[in-house]
Amino acid sequence: MKKLLQVDFDFTGPFGEEMSTLLMDLAQSINNEPGMIWKIWTENPKEQLGGGIYLFENEAYAQAYLEMHSARLKEMGVEKIRGHIFDINLPLSTINHAPMTEVK
Amino acid sequence: MKKLLQVDFDFTGPFGEEMSTLLMDLAQSINNEPGMIWKIWTENPKEQLGGGIYLFENEAYAQAYLEMHSARLKEMGVEKIRGHIFDINLPLSTINHAPMTEVK
């Protein structure tokens, strides 16, 4: 069953265009992570947060990615990492026009 | 600018099919919330979490919804509500196949 991984963490930047340019190679490499279907990159310069919303093929892939990602962030000096793996409630999400064609 | 709202909270259920049936009218009503584009309904019975990932037309709509939603959850006895409003980094999300046609 497909799973949604929600990650956010305290982050001091770079944000916006600078982030896009700096992390393009990282984004490309994320396409090669096992079971990764898509990622929405999230950022909040005001609250100093970074994060991502991911869709994975199953829980094991999502869990393995979360562990790898958390370790990589800690190496970069990021301390507070919040990660949760969720089921998607498809009937309710469908009512609310969620972009879920990959989940069906 | 479009914004992503990420909400999660301690939740004891109902989950899954029972949740879908019980909250169908609520989901329909969410389509009428100002500025709401889509919602992905998230749930984790094991960790006892509920939540949602939303796309809103702008920050003011996302903020107003978060305040209304938090108040409603508190009335239902939900205490720990975590909500963050994020920018979406579109160039990086596009590389990672994010379902972002509404954001462009």
Side-chain angles (χ1 to χ4, degrees), chain A residues 5 16 24 36 38 60 76 92 97:
Chain A
L5 169 64
M24 210 158 273
M36 213 287 301
W38 53 248
M76 291 164 62
L92 296 176
H97 316 301

Side-chain angles (χ1 to χ4, degrees), chain B residues 12-76:
Chain B
T12 55
F15 296 104
E17 275 182 48
E18 201 187 338
M19 186 194 191
S20 309
T21 308
L22 258 164
L23 300 184
M24 209 156 274
D25 287 349
L26 177 61
Q28 291 287 0
S29 80
I30 289 171
N31 284 337
N32 301 324
E33 294 293 341
M36 213 285 302
I37 299 169
W38 54 247
K39 173 184 181 183
I40 300 173
W41 288 68
T42 54
E43 51 175 307
N44 185 326
K46 213 165 43 186
E47 288 187 39
Q48 300 262 292
L49 293 172
I53 311 289
Y54 306 73
L55 187 66
F56 276 91
E57 290 288 355
N58 63 38
E59 180 153 15
Y61 284 133
Q63 189 64 49
Y65 184 88
L66 175 59
E67 282 163 27
M68 179 279 292
H69 187 31
S70 300
R72 181 164 62 195
L73 285 167
K74 276 176 190 160
E75 272 173 34
M76 291 165 61

Side-chain angles (χ1 to χ4, degrees), chain A residues 4 6-8 15-17 19-21 23-24 26-31 36-47 49-53 59 82-100 102, chain B residues 4 6-8 15-17 19-21 23-24 26-31 36-47 49-53 59 82-100 102:
Chain A
L4 185 136
Q6 171 188 303
V7 180
D8 58 271
F15 295 103
E17 276 183 45
M19 186 194 191
S20 310
T21 308
L23 300 185
M24 210 158 273
L26 177 62
Q28 291 288 359
S29 80
I30 288 171
N31 284 337
M36 213 287 301
I37 300 170
W38 53 248
K39 173 183 181 182
I40 301 172
W41 289 68
T42 54
E43 51 175 307
N44 185 326
K46 213 164 44 183
E47 287 187 38
L49 293 172
I53 311 290
E59 180 153 15
R82 295 163 290 277
H84 294 292
I85 295 166
F86 289 104
D87 295 332
I88 292 170
N89 188 299
L90 200 53
L92 296 176
S93 300
T94 302
I95 290 173
N96 292 135
H97 316 301
M100 290 284 98
E102 296 89 349
Chain B
L4 185 137
Q6 172 188 302
V7 180
D8 58 272
F15 296 104
E17 275 182 48
M19 186 194 191
S20 309
T21 308
L23 300 184
M24 209 156 274
L26 177 61
Q28 291 287 0
S29 80
I30 289 171
N31 284 337
M36 213 285 302
I37 299 169
W38 54 247
K39 173 184 181 183
I40 300 173
W41 288 68
T42 54
E43 51 175 307
N44 185 326
K46 213 165 43 186
E47 288 187 39
L49 293 172
I53 311 289
E59 180 153 15
R82 296 164 289 278
H84 294 293
I85 295 166
F86 288 104
D87 295 333
I88 292 171
N89 188 300
L90 199 55
L92 297 176
S93 299
T94 302
I95 290 173
N96 290 136
H97 315 301
M100 290 284 96
E102 296 89 346

